[in-house]
Amino acid sequence: MTENLHLWILPLLPLTGAAINGLFGKRFSRSMVASVGLTFAGAAFVWALWVASRFSSLPRLSLPYVVTVTTWLRSGSFQADYAFALDQLSLVMLLVVTGVGFLIHIYSVGYMWEEGGFYRFFSYLNLFMFFMLTLVLGSNYLVMFVGWEGVGLASYLLIGFYFTRDSAASAGKKAFIVNRIGDFGFLIALFLMIQHFGTLDFGKVFNATQALPAETSGAGFLTAIALLLMLGACGKSAQIPLYVWLPDAMEGPTPVSALIHAATMVTAGVYMVARSHIIFEHAPSAMIVVAIIGILTAFFAATIGIAQTDIKKVLAYSTVSQLGYMFLACGVGAFSAGIFHLMTHAFFKGLLFLAAGSVIHAIGGEQDMRKMGGLWKKIPWTWITMLIATCAIAGIPGLSGFFSKDEILWRAYQANWAYWFVGVFTAFLTSFYMFRLMFLTFAGEYRGAAGAPHGHEEHAGHGTHLGREEILPAQAPAPHGHGHGSGGIHESSWVMLGPLVVLALLSIAGGWIGANRFEHFLEPATGTVGALAAEPSTGTAEPATLPAAPAEEHGNERLMTGISVAAGLLGLGLAYLLYSAKPGLPDRIADALHALYTAVANKYWVDEMYATLFVKPLVGISTFVFWRGVDQTLIDGTLNGGAAGARELSDEVRHMESGNLRSYAGWIAIGAACVLAYMIWVGTR
């Protein structure tokens, strides 16, 4: 008898925390708010660990393990259950979401302690975790779509947390609107599935797809579904052309950047593509598109990252670039490699964002790296943990990023050497801009103003209190929140450093599981025949035995690994030369390459181009056609014109009510004459 894992409890726990803090948190003390938020997030992580401990005892033929809560929707032959499913893929995502999410909840207690709206923040964090768990545990596309839309909503609330700042409010709206473009494609894909398969259940859709031939000679409905799913994934996972929302999302508090835009939400698109791998494998044209978009995004975002001066913007474009690697892996059929990098990326990129928040916290809210420097002496724990994460993302051997990125590059080389070449060059750029960040932030001498510098992130309140008194006057902190100002540069408290240390350990050891073992574990869910594509009773979910690679292939793999490591070390060396050994050289290079540098520093003016091509025309159409033309002229004009006509008619009619008896007698005589004339006219017919 299969053990009951009660999967429905997992999303229910953070939802309960969100409801308690959202409804009653305003009357709670900060300690109570933090306790509620941490208790329910931590309970979800503990429950996930228990589920993981029981997973190996589940009969292989019972996978996916499905728990149906209720029949949600029934229309004719179509039925959608509100159900949760557990297999190898969802288990990995489950542990990442709850584990990294819980660490970020702990970090947020220290980071947000003196911020206004403390209870709202933790309510939103718990709400986000609820929707993310719904997304990864859903057993059909409809439940996944509910979680998909929910994390978009939670992202909007968290990005725009400081809603009195125009930049934060605009960033939240931008993220919401851009994601709606991708979500439209996802929704159309669901309609096509209903039309062709009559269901949205993963198992039934994948079984039906498996029975169809691959669309190798042309583009059919499977290719259309795959491309539309990819559009949705491009929105959520910030790929070209829908990546523009993620850098602006840095307007949210730094823990939000770590949770949503590094570790969980932005990986939802990668998860959805991996979950739908059977559809993509039957649509080779769509796979090629996924690979091309992934490698172009990885390279494009990396080039932008080398010229950014805002520490969080560098990490934002780094996230876009790393997501491109994951898409590349999925595009070449290495779905398990993409999920492997998703997991390791959650460790080192979550750490990078939290460490950046510790830096910002230490120097009063400053985010411009040109005003930092020499901080390794002042904040050594932040420095060493951030260095570990930087080495991991740069692909330094022995760290988690080395294993996962190397596997992607090797699989890309097997598919197309051009993918590999661009990927290796992107790895060089990644190493360069990340060590550039480290040298500018921690090496040399401090370049900031004496005393407490004032930044432009959420901690602008350290000097102006913007986003504090205005948001929640009753809980406004004293000047220079977080202890800035007269206290000078200081290390963060251990409530913030603790999660950094844990993530640093995971960034070191997270890759030692090995790409091959990880692939073997995930194969039933991401292999040629996934677990969710097999009926539980058939036994076809058994993983195939991985063939042994020939010695020549092992030699090529070692060569490719050596080249990628050399690229990372070259990026480190160049960053050291430009930003430590010869710090004046970057300015001379920028002057020599003025046009190119200006284009890169201005992010190729993509936002301005979108504003010119799409935003301004749409605003113009909505203003002049729909608002002034339809709303004001047609609708308001009709209603206002009718009201004016009625007013004028009533004004004329009211003169009949003059109170003059002779006037009344005259009107009666006229009326009687009209009646008599009508009767005579009728009688003569």
Side-chain angles (χ1 to χ4, degrees):
M1 181 177 178
T2 303
E3 186 174 4
N4 192 344
L5 299 182
H6 301 291
L7 295 179
W8 56 272
I9 293 178
L10 281 161
L12 181 63
L13 287 168
L15 179 62
T16 303
I20 293 174
N21 271 334
L23 294 174
F24 310 110
K26 193 171 184 178
R27 294 187 287 273
F28 290 167
S29 66
R30 290 175 181 260
S31 297
M32 177 63 74
V33 169
S35 298
V36 169
L38 292 181
T39 297
F40 286 98
F45 177 50
V46 171
W47 197 270
L49 290 175
W50 180 77
V51 168
S53 70
R54 307 307 302 167
F55 182 79
S56 60
S57 65
L58 293 175
R60 187 175 297 276
L61 298 184
S62 70
L63 296 178
Y65 175 83
V66 178
V67 175
T68 301
V69 178
T70 184
T71 297
W72 185 11
L73 182 62
R74 182 183 288 115
S75 177
S77 61
F78 176 79
Q79 176 177 317
D81 294 330
Y82 195 83
F84 301 114
L86 183 70
D87 68 346
Q88 292 83 352
L89 179 57
S90 56
L91 179 63
V92 170
M93 294 297 297
L94 179 64
L95 292 173
V96 169
V97 171
T98 57
V100 178
F102 179 54
L103 290 174
I104 294 172
H105 274 70
I106 296 174
Y107 177 94
S108 298
V109 173
Y111 193 85
M112 300 295 293
W113 185 259
E114 297 182 19
E115 297 291 338
F118 190 72
Y119 76 96
R120 285 191 301 109
F121 184 79
F122 276 92
S123 178
Y124 295 164
L125 279 187
N126 281 178
L127 184 66
F128 170 82
M129 185 176 283
F130 160 71
F131 281 123
M132 194 67 200
L133 289 173
T134 300
L135 190 157
V136 301
L137 287 174
S139 70
N140 57 68
Y141 280 105
L142 190 57
V143 176
M144 176 189 276
F145 190 72
V146 170
W148 188 275
E149 292 296 292
V151 294
L153 169 64
S155 175
Y156 166 76
L157 294 172
L158 286 165
I159 293 169
F161 180 75
Y162 299 103
F163 54 80
T164 57
R165 283 168 35 196
D166 289 340
S167 58
S170 297
K173 288 186 290 185
K174 184 175 184 179
F176 195 80
I177 293 170
V178 172
N179 271 273
R180 296 292 75 72
I181 298 172
D183 296 351
F184 177 75
F186 192 177
L187 195 59
I188 298 300
L190 301 192
F191 292 155
L192 286 176
M193 290 182 197
I194 294 173
Q195 178 187 7
H196 289 281
F197 302 126
T199 181
L200 293 175
D201 181 77
F202 288 145
K204 294 177 181 178
V205 168
F206 299 157
N207 271 327
T209 303
Q210 196 73 30
L212 297 173
E215 296 176 347
T216 55
S217 60
F221 75 92
L222 288 177
T223 301
I225 291 174
L227 290 174
L228 289 166
L229 289 176
M230 184 206 64
L231 178 60
C234 284
K236 200 66 73 183
S237 292
Q239 298 295 287
I240 290 174
L242 301 179
Y243 72 92
V244 292
W245 67 270
L246 194 145
D248 286 12
M250 296 303 107
E251 288 290 337
T254 297
V256 173
S257 303
L259 177 64
I260 296 181
H261 309 121
T264 52
M265 178 187 133
V266 292
T267 60
V270 179
Y271 167 76
M272 186 259 281
V273 172
R275 173 62 75 200
S276 309
H277 69 97
I278 291 180
I279 296 176
F280 282 89
E281 287 168 348
H282 280 67
S285 299
M287 292 274 284
I288 294 173
V289 173
V290 171
I292 291 174
I293 285 180
I295 194 62
L296 289 180
T297 301
F299 173 73
F300 182 79
T303 62
I304 297 176
I306 64 176
Q308 299 304 303
T309 56
D310 184 309
I311 189 171
K312 285 179 65 176
K313 286 293 179 71
V314 173
L315 297 179
Y317 282 104
S318 172
T319 298
V320 176
S321 182
Q322 296 302 305
L323 290 167
Y325 273 112
M326 299 175 207
F327 260 65
L328 171 63
C330 292
V332 299
F335 298 99
S336 61
I339 298 300
F340 190 28
H341 196 57
L342 182 156
M343 181 186 73
T344 61
H345 178 263
F347 300 151
F348 60 70
K349 185 55 66 64
L351 173 55
L352 284 169
F353 269 111
L354 295 187
S358 183
V359 171
I360 295 167
H361 171 96
I363 57 177
E366 183 60 69
Q367 290 183 215
D368 191 336
M369 297 183 297
R370 295 169 298 184
K371 299 179 181 178
M372 300 180 186
L375 296 180
W376 73 274
K377 303 174 185 177
K378 301 287 187 179
I379 47 175
W381 281 99
T382 300
W383 168 68
I384 190 64
T385 54
M386 197 168 193
L387 178 61
I388 291 171
T390 299
C391 291
I393 194 175
I396 301 300
L399 301 179
S400 61
F402 161 76
F403 294 100
S404 57
K405 186 183 292 186
D406 178 67
E407 180 67 13
I408 292 175
L409 291 174
W410 169 239
R411 297 296 294 270
Y413 175 78
Q414 291 178 310
N416 188 317
W417 70 268
Y419 296 157
W420 171 84
F421 178 79
V422 178
V424 168
F425 187 68
T426 301
F428 158 72
L429 294 177
T430 301
S431 178
F432 171 72
Y433 66 65
M434 285 307 306
F435 280 106
R436 168 181 176 264
L437 179 152
M438 291 298 296
F439 287 122
L440 285 175
T441 303
F442 294 102
E445 299 297 327
Y446 183 64
R447 298 179 296 275
H454 301 303
H456 54 278
E457 192 236 24
E458 69 267 14
H459 291 45
H462 295 236
T464 65
H465 302 293
L466 182 60
R468 291 183 174 182
E469 284 92 340
E470 295 86 346
I471 291 178
L472 194 59
Q475 296 184 14
H480 307 296
H482 290 311
H484 299 162
S486 58
I489 300 172
H490 61 285
E491 185 64 278
S492 301
S493 64
W494 274 103
V495 74
M496 294 171 61
L497 292 178
L500 267 63
V501 173
V502 174
L503 287 172
L505 294 175
L506 290 172
S507 297
I508 295 171
W512 283 96
I513 185 176
N516 290 334
R517 275 179 288 181
F518 195 80
E519 181 178 5
H520 184 76
F521 173 74
L522 281 183
E523 191 195 8
T526 61
T528 303
V529 180
L532 287 172
E535 294 294 340
S537 61
T538 64
T540 56
E542 287 289 340
T545 302
L546 296 178
E552 181 181 353
E553 188 169 304
H554 277 305
N556 288 337
E557 185 174 3
R558 286 193 292 269
L559 175 61
M560 297 301 107
T561 299
I563 293 174
S564 64
V565 170
L569 295 177
L570 182 61
L572 164 60
L574 183 61
Y576 171 77
L577 174 67
L578 295 180
Y579 296 98
S580 183
K582 298 183 178 181
L585 190 56
D587 289 336
R588 294 197 295 271
I589 294 175
D591 291 338
L593 302 174
H594 177 71
L596 179 60
Y597 177 81
T598 302
V600 173
N602 287 279
K603 299 160 283 189
Y604 302 107
W605 299 284
V606 172
D607 285 279
E608 291 80 0
M609 180 181 67
Y610 282 4
T612 301
L613 295 178
F614 303 111
V615 178
K616 291 180 181 178
L618 287 174
V619 171
I621 292 172
S622 63
T623 300
F624 294 101
V625 177
F626 292 102
W627 179 41
R628 295 183 181 177
V630 177
D631 187 51
Q632 289 188 327
T633 303
L634 182 60
I635 298 176
D636 289 352
T638 300
L639 295 176
N640 293 338
R647 184 171 59 251
E648 292 175 2
L649 178 61
S650 64
D651 184 64
E652 293 297 328
V653 172
R654 74 181 177 84
H655 289 297
M656 297 171 59
E657 306 295 329
S658 63
N660 190 311
L661 293 177
R662 286 180 296 177
S663 176
Y664 290 164
W667 285 112
I668 291 172
I670 292 172
C674 290
V675 171
L676 287 173
Y678 174 75
M679 294 177 65
I680 292 171
W681 178 71
V682 171
T684 57
R685 294 188 63 183

